[in-house]
């Protein structure tokens, strides 16, 4: 029971911060929630009455703006590593294209 309360509190805090980010950037094309925590705790994020969604929309008079922001959960937990790999690969490609001076 205590663990469930802790996870509900966490989901509420997470949803509140995601809502703040949505208000900051207003991503009308969608906001992607990524990382290892989201896919493992989908039951706390899904549904209009979930702690996450209640906190996401609890923004007073600007709450209606958030109804225009679609939310997506990225299920790949290693998305950060994939992005770092892609950046490193592109940097390596650019280095290979540069002429060498001897």
């Amino acid at each position: 029971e205590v663990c469930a309360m802790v996870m509900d509190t966490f989901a509420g805090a997470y949803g509140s911060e995601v809502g703040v980010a949505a208000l900051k950037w207003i991503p009308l094309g969608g906001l992607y929630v990524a990382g290892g925590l989201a896919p493992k705790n989908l039951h706390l994020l899904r549904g209009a009455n979930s702690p996450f969604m209640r906190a996401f929309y609890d923004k007073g008079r600007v709450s209606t703006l958030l109804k225009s922001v679609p939310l997506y959960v990225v299920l790949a937990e290693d998305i950060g590593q994939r992005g770092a790999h892609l950046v490193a690969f592109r940097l390596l490609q650019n280095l290979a294209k540069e002429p060498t001076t001897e």
Side-chain angles (χ1 to χ4, degrees), residues 1 40 58 67 77 88 95:
E1 186 174 312
K40 292 176 185 160
D58 186 22
K67 302 280 186 198
E77 294 180 29
L95 285 174

Side-chain angles (χ1 to χ4, degrees), residues 27-38:
L28 298 178
L31 181 64
Y32 292 80
V33 179
L37 294 171

Side-chain angles (χ1 to χ4, degrees), residues 20-102:
V20 169
L23 288 174
K24 181 177 182 180
W25 299 314
I26 311 173
L28 298 178
L31 181 64
Y32 292 80
V33 179
L37 294 171
K40 292 176 185 160
N41 296 289
L42 280 176
H43 65 284
L44 295 172
L45 280 63
R46 284 188 175 157
N49 202 31
S50 70
F52 180 90
M53 294 306 292
R54 283 194 316 262
F56 177 80
Y57 288 121
D58 186 22
K59 301 292 179 269
R61 66 178 184 257
V62 293
S63 293
T64 54
L65 175 61
L66 292 177
K67 302 280 186 198
S68 306
V69 177
L71 279 179
Y72 304 101
V73 174
V74 178
L75 298 178
E77 294 180 29
D78 64 341
I79 198 73
Q81 292 167 330
R82 291 182 191 189
H85 181 266
L86 178 63
V87 169
F89 179 75
R90 287 181 179 167
L91 287 172
L92 186 61
Q93 280 183 321
N94 289 339
L95 285 174
K97 291 179 186 177
E98 291 180 11
T100 57
T101 55
E102 295 180 29

